[in-house]
Amino acid sequence: MTLPPLLKRCLPPALIWAACWGLMLRVDAHVELANLVLLLVLAATLSTLWLPLMASMVLSLLAVLAFNWRFVSPERSMELQGWSHVWLLATMLALSWLVAVLLSRLRREADAARRHAEQADQLRALGQALRDSRSPVEAAQLLQTQLDALLPTPAPLLLGAGPLPAENRLGEGILLIGEPDGDQLAGLWACWRQGVPFGPGTGRYRELSAWYLPLRGRAASHGAALLILPDATQPDPELCAHAQSLCDQMGLALERQSAEHAARRAHDEAEGQATRNALLAAISHDYRTPLATIMGAASSLLDQGERQTPAQRHKLLATVLDETRQLSRMTDNTLQLARLERAGLQLRTDWEAAEEVVGAALRRVRQRHPQAAQRVRLRVASTLPLLQCDAVLLAQLLDNLLDNALRYAPEGPIELLVRHEPGGLLLAVRDRGPGVPPAARARIFEPFQRGEELDRERPDATGSRRGAGVGLAACRAIAIAHGGTLGLRARSHGGASFECRLPVQAQPDAAPAPAPEAPTPRPDFPEPFAEDAP
């Protein structure tokens, strides 16, 4: 059975006084009057731990009068005989009141200390929660939870993730939590705009029955909170100050989130500007040679076309076509790299068969290199899971890897391996060329980095270093955009293996993905050479 709060508070003092009077009546015939006084003072002191100050003082006065009536001679009379009894009762009453005052003050200070500790804990908990919050909505919900614990009525909030709008109108970036009426909403807007608290005890609009508290940051306010006071409740200035401290924590958190968002936006813009500058530098430097070749071939055809043989004209046209394709590949890779490294990119993915992606890449290679493409040997597992991917991007990845292998490994077979492994789907392009020097392996996937040692050893037919150094960087960006990885592994008997591993998701027909198996050579391609040991 649960006792009412008032009865629970008055029960201990009642038991103490009952025990005291029972003991005094029992030992009255055996002890002196001064010792009975000590019992009375002890009871008054103990009861003060539960009773308010005025109640304790009144109860002590009644106890002294009852003590005089029962124990001071003449007994059962309020008459006093001699100044000794007067001093005894006056001293007993003064001591009881002094103890009551001191204990009441001590209890009040203890309550204040406990309340301050709870408020400090509340501020610290809110600060930690706001530090970990990532959105204004989450932060506002945390603040509302803390404010609701202060008063029984829910606290509406009005705040913005950006600058204060010119008009008092809810819109994008303005968050309203709660259901304030029209007057309350107008008060929230006014409090936000002025950045000062309203309500009783604040020095502004004392006639209001609520507190309007701004969410103040270092530079400006970022919203306002409404704390509705219960009827017939005396406003507590200390409670108002604590609520304002909570709101200031929220204002600082919103200001910090806004600053972090601006810093991220500035960082993204700086990275975009750096990428654009690098692209311009690459275009101005690496596009000159193919453009000069195209211009020279076109000038020869225009000025001397009638005096040239058909073979010479065919060779010049082939040069123009080859250099144009090279420019197109460089442009595609550069634009894809810039797009894939942009923040917040969302790929347009669909369920695709790995065999179709490989076939598309092989067709593009055969169109550009009809003779050299005969060296490409295909190793594809008999059963492969579907990929949730952008097929055009993956085909471009394989196209770049095959083109690099054909360029830097002009002799020997090129192997294109596709198989299902426990870690996902493996797409690997392997060659038996000179490989990548150890010094270049750490930076070969960085934008605008080329295998300069290989370019010097094996230039193309024109003797120039072709490419802007973005092909492998674009390949890595494509792999990362699909949640995969792209790495380089040196082969044990010479050559390089560029390996892309892509995650395999649950298949669209809810059937489990095929178990990993060893690759099986296709019957219409030459037999593959032996696979390297790990």
Side-chain angles (χ1 to χ4, degrees):
M1 181 178 179
T2 303
L3 298 177
L6 181 60
L7 181 59
K8 185 183 298 186
R9 187 173 182 178
C10 296
L11 183 60
L15 295 177
I16 291 173
W17 279 111
C20 174
W21 280 98
L23 183 60
M24 286 190 300
L25 292 174
R26 186 175 183 83
V27 301
D28 181 26
H30 307 285
V31 298
E32 297 180 355
L33 185 63
N35 295 329
L36 295 179
V37 171
L38 295 178
L39 290 176
L40 187 65
V41 172
L42 178 61
T45 302
L46 293 178
S47 63
T48 306
L49 297 176
W50 285 271
L51 296 176
L53 176 61
M54 291 305 300
S56 179
M57 295 180 69
V58 171
L59 191 60
S60 297
L61 176 61
L62 295 178
V64 170
L65 295 177
F67 183 85
N68 178 37
W69 182 81
R70 176 61 182 81
F71 297 104
V72 178
S73 60
E75 295 182 0
R76 291 176 174 79
S77 173
M78 300 300 296
E79 182 181 354
L80 296 175
Q81 294 182 353
W83 285 102
S84 59
H85 290 171
V86 174
W87 284 112
L88 177 64
L89 296 178
T91 303
M92 180 173 58
L93 180 61
L95 183 59
S96 299
W97 282 359
L98 179 62
V99 170
V101 171
L102 293 178
L103 286 180
S104 177
R105 181 179 298 177
L106 181 61
R107 187 171 65 246
R108 188 166 56 249
E109 292 179 355
D111 293 340
R114 183 172 58 255
R115 186 169 58 254
H116 291 161
E118 292 175 354
Q119 293 175 354
D121 292 340
Q122 192 178 19
L123 285 171
R124 182 171 57 255
L126 179 61
Q128 293 175 352
L130 291 177
R131 180 194 60 195
D132 298 333
S133 65
R134 290 295 178 266
S135 66
V137 176
E138 182 181 356
Q141 292 174 347
L142 293 172
L143 174 63
Q144 189 182 41
T145 301
Q146 298 288 356
L147 294 179
D148 289 347
L150 301 181
L151 294 172
T153 307
L157 297 177
L158 176 66
L159 65 149
L164 180 64
E167 299 181 358
N168 296 347
R169 183 178 301 173
L170 298 177
E172 184 177 0
I174 305 300
L175 180 63
L176 177 63
I177 298 181
E179 298 180 355
D181 57 29
D183 294 339
Q184 293 173 345
L185 184 58
L188 288 172
W189 279 110
C191 181
W192 184 358
R193 293 190 178 280
Q194 299 184 29
V196 293
F198 300 157
T202 63
R204 300 175 184 85
Y205 303 101
R206 300 183 181 89
E207 69 279 3
L208 294 175
S209 60
W211 287 323
Y212 292 85
L213 306 178
L215 309 181
R216 299 179 298 194
R218 293 183 179 274
S221 295
H222 300 274
L226 171 62
L227 275 71
I228 302 175
L229 300 174
D231 296 336
T233 300
Q234 186 68 23
D236 185 0
E238 184 178 347
L239 181 61
C240 180
H242 176 60
Q244 183 63 68
S245 299
L246 294 175
C247 293
D248 290 344
Q249 286 264 28
M250 178 66 182
L252 292 173
L254 290 174
E255 196 169 76
R256 183 175 62 253
Q257 290 181 1
S258 178
E260 291 176 354
H261 180 70
R264 285 195 300 269
R265 186 170 60 251
H267 178 71
D268 294 339
E269 292 177 356
E271 284 189 345
Q273 184 62 39
T275 302
R276 288 190 291 270
N277 294 338
L279 293 179
L280 291 175
I283 291 174
S284 62
H285 182 271
D286 293 289
Y287 282 32
R288 289 178 180 177
T289 299
L291 288 175
T293 303
I294 294 172
M295 185 178 297
S299 299
S300 298
L301 288 172
L302 181 62
D303 297 337
Q304 305 175 9
E306 296 179 355
R307 297 191 295 272
Q308 291 175 345
T309 64
Q312 290 175 332
R313 289 195 297 269
H314 182 272
K315 182 178 180 180
L316 290 174
L317 289 174
T319 300
V320 172
L321 180 60
D322 182 59
E323 294 298 335
T324 304
R325 286 175 175 171
Q326 179 65 17
L327 282 176
S328 177
R329 284 176 52 77
M330 292 167 59
T331 304
D332 289 343
N333 287 329
T334 304
L335 293 178
Q336 289 290 10
L337 179 62
R339 185 175 73 91
L340 292 172
E341 291 189 346
R342 187 173 66 245
L345 173 69
Q346 294 292 334
L347 296 181
R348 295 181 178 179
T349 61
D350 198 356
W351 290 105
E352 304 288 350
E355 296 88 341
E356 296 181 1
V357 175
V358 171
L362 285 177
R363 284 192 296 271
R364 295 167 65 175
V365 171
R366 287 169 179 168
Q367 290 175 358
R368 288 195 311 273
H369 312 285
Q371 300 297 328
Q374 300 299 324
R375 297 190 290 119
V376 178
R377 298 182 179 181
L378 186 64
R379 296 181 64 192
V380 180
S382 58
T383 55
L384 293 173
L386 295 177
L387 288 176
Q388 182 78 18
C389 65
D390 187 324
V392 175
L393 290 180
L394 284 189
Q396 183 177 353
L397 180 149
L398 294 176
D399 184 18
N400 286 338
L401 295 181
L402 289 171
D403 186 76
N404 283 347
L406 292 172
R407 181 191 307 173
Y408 291 109
E411 299 177 356
I414 307 297
E415 183 185 39
L416 176 54
L417 172 64
V418 183
R419 69 184 180 194
H420 185 210
E421 294 184 341
L425 191 70
L426 172 66
L427 305 172
V429 175
R430 301 171 173 178
D431 61 64
R432 287 299 185 186
V436 180
R441 293 172 187 170
R443 52 184 173 83
I444 195 171
F445 291 105
E446 297 178 2
F448 314 110
Q449 297 292 332
R450 291 175 294 199
E452 298 181 357
E453 296 84 353
L454 297 180
D455 284 332
R456 289 194 297 267
E457 294 177 3
R458 299 180 181 273
D460 62 0
T462 64
S464 64
R465 291 164 47 193
R466 305 175 63 184
V470 296
L472 289 179
C475 290
R476 184 184 64 172
I478 292 172
I480 293 176
H482 285 84
T485 60
L486 178 63
L488 167 64
R489 180 172 64 87
R491 308 191 71 184
S492 58
H493 299 291
S497 176
F498 289 87
E499 301 176 350
C500 175
R501 287 179 169 81
L502 300 175
V504 176
Q505 301 179 4
Q507 299 301 284
D509 56 357
E517 57 179 78
T520 302
R522 293 294 176 91
D524 54 343
F525 286 90
E527 285 293 325
F529 46 82
E531 184 179 349
D532 295 323

